[in-house]
Amino acid sequence: MTIKGVESAPDPGESARYIESMARELRRLASGSGLGFLAFLLRMVEDDAAAEARRHDDSQAG
């Protein structure tokens, strides 16, 4: 990931939490627009990203 010209590896837990948050917002948009199947798929992304963040946090703690 490049941030203002600096190369750095993104933190997996932080990335997963960001993806979870974006998927949640997109799911709400899809649901409110009557796009049920997209909302369903985005819920799966949201759930998986949350699980990945927890796994990362657990691996860092112990």
Side-chain angles (χ1 to χ4, degrees), residues 1 9-22 24 45-61:
M1 171 191 280
D11 175 75
E14 185 178 321
S15 296
R17 284 185 289 279
Y18 178 75
I19 292 167
E20 177 189 7
S21 174
M22 292 295 99
R24 182 180 304 115
V45 171
E46 184 183 347
D47 290 346
D48 194 61
E52 286 295 328
R54 280 192 303 276
R55 274 193 287 276
H56 181 266
D57 292 345
D58 289 348
S59 72
Q60 296 296 311

Side-chain angles (χ1 to χ4, degrees), residues 37-50:
F37 186 65
L38 283 176
F40 169 75
L41 292 173
L42 288 162
R43 180 57 190 245
M44 290 177 25
V45 171
E46 184 183 347
D47 290 346
D48 194 61

